[in-house]
C-alpha cells in the first residue's frame, strides 16, 4: 500500500512540475519573428548553399568522392605531362580542367563532408538559405569555367 501511495505522489509531483513550467511560459509575451522584413541571425558554422570558387579549384575530386548522396558531378580533362592550366591564388598548379562542375542542391543533405575534404578550401557553405524554387532544375548550380590551353609548368619564380 505504501508503494502505491508513493507512485501516486510521484505522478502528481511530476505533473505539477511540468504544469508549473507550462503556466510560467503561458504568461510570457509571445515572440514573433518578422521574417521577410527582418532576417534571422545565421551563425558562422551554418550549413546552407554550397559555393565553389573555380579559380582555386584543383579538380581533385575529393568533394565528389566524399559526398554521401553523389550530388556533385565533375567532368575534367588532364593536362599533358609537364603542363598546367593555371595556378590557384595559393600558387598551387591546376593540372585538370573542369568542363563540368555541377552541384545538385535538391539532393544535398547539407552534411558538410565535401567542404571538409576540399584541400584548397574553395568549396564553402554560404549563409544563403533563401533559394526555394518552383523548378528543380534551378537547384543545379553550375560552377565550371574551363581554362584555355595548357601552358608549361615553370619551376622558378618570376
Amino acid at each position: 500500500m505504501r508503494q502505491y501511495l508513493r507512485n501516486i505522489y510521484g505522478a502528481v509531483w511530476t505533473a505539477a512540475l511540468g504544469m508549473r513550467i507550462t503556466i510560467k511560459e503561458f504568461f510570457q509575451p509571445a515572440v514573433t519573428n518578422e521574417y521577410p522584413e527582418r532576417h534571422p541571425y545565421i551563425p558562422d558554422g551554418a550549413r546552407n548553399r554550397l559555393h565553389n570558387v573555380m579559380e582555386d579549384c584543383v579538380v581533385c575530386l575529393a568533394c565528389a568522392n566524399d559526398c554521401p548522396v553523389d550530388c556533385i558531378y565533375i567532368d575534367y580533362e588532364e593536362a599533358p605531362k609537364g603542363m598546367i592550366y593555371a595556378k590557384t591564388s595559393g600558387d598551387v598548379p591546376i593540372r585538370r580542367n573542369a568542363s563540368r562542375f555541377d552541384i545538385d542542391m535538391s539532393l544535398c543533405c547539407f552534411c558538410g563532408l565535401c567542404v571538409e575534404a576540399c584541400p584548397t578550401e574553395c568549396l564553402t557553405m554560404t549563409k544563403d538559405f533563401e533559394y526555394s524554387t518552383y523548378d528543380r532544375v534551378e537547384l543545379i548550380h553550375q560552377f565550371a569555367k574551363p581554362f584555355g590551353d595548357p601552358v608549361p609548368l615553370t619551376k622558378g619564380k618570376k
Side-chain angles (χ1 to χ4, degrees), residues 45-48 50 63 66-72 105 107-117 125:
R47 297 182 191 159
N48 292 311
L50 285 167
C63 56
D66 281 1
C67 182
V69 293
D70 296 329
C71 69
I72 301 175
M105 291 303 293
L107 297 175
C108 183
C109 64
F110 304 99
C111 63
L113 293 174
C114 56
V115 174
E116 296 295 324
M125 287 194 156

Side-chain angles (χ1 to χ4, degrees), residues 16-30:
L17 186 64
M19 290 306 291
R20 185 186 77 176
I21 295 170
T22 303
I23 290 172
K24 186 175 89 175
E25 289 296 320
F26 181 73
F27 292 109
Q28 296 293 326

Side-chain angles (χ1 to χ4, degrees), residues 44-134:
D44 289 333
R47 297 182 191 159
N48 292 311
R49 183 184 295 204
L50 285 167
H51 179 71
N52 191 18
V53 180
M54 283 307 292
E55 291 79 19
D56 288 340
C57 183
V58 294
V59 193
C60 64
L61 306 176
C63 56
N65 291 334
D66 281 1
C67 182
V69 293
D70 296 329
C71 69
I72 301 175
Y73 310 104
I74 302 174
D75 294 333
Y76 65 93
E77 59 181 295
E78 291 272 348
K81 188 170 180 153
M83 306 283 273
I84 62 170
Y85 285 102
K87 287 192 176 187
T88 65
S89 61
D91 208 33
V92 177
I94 300 175
R95 292 187 169 88
R96 293 179 177 169
N97 188 9
S99 58
R100 177 183 179 202
F101 195 108
D102 298 347
I103 299 175
D104 190 352
M105 291 303 293
S106 67
L107 297 175
C108 183
C109 64
F110 304 99
C111 63
L113 293 174
C114 56
V115 174
E116 296 295 324
C118 185
T120 58
E121 297 178 357
C122 63
L123 187 64
T124 57
M125 287 194 156
T126 64
K127 290 186 175 185
D128 183 22
F129 66 94
E130 302 172 304
Y131 52 97
S132 61
T133 63
Y134 290 105

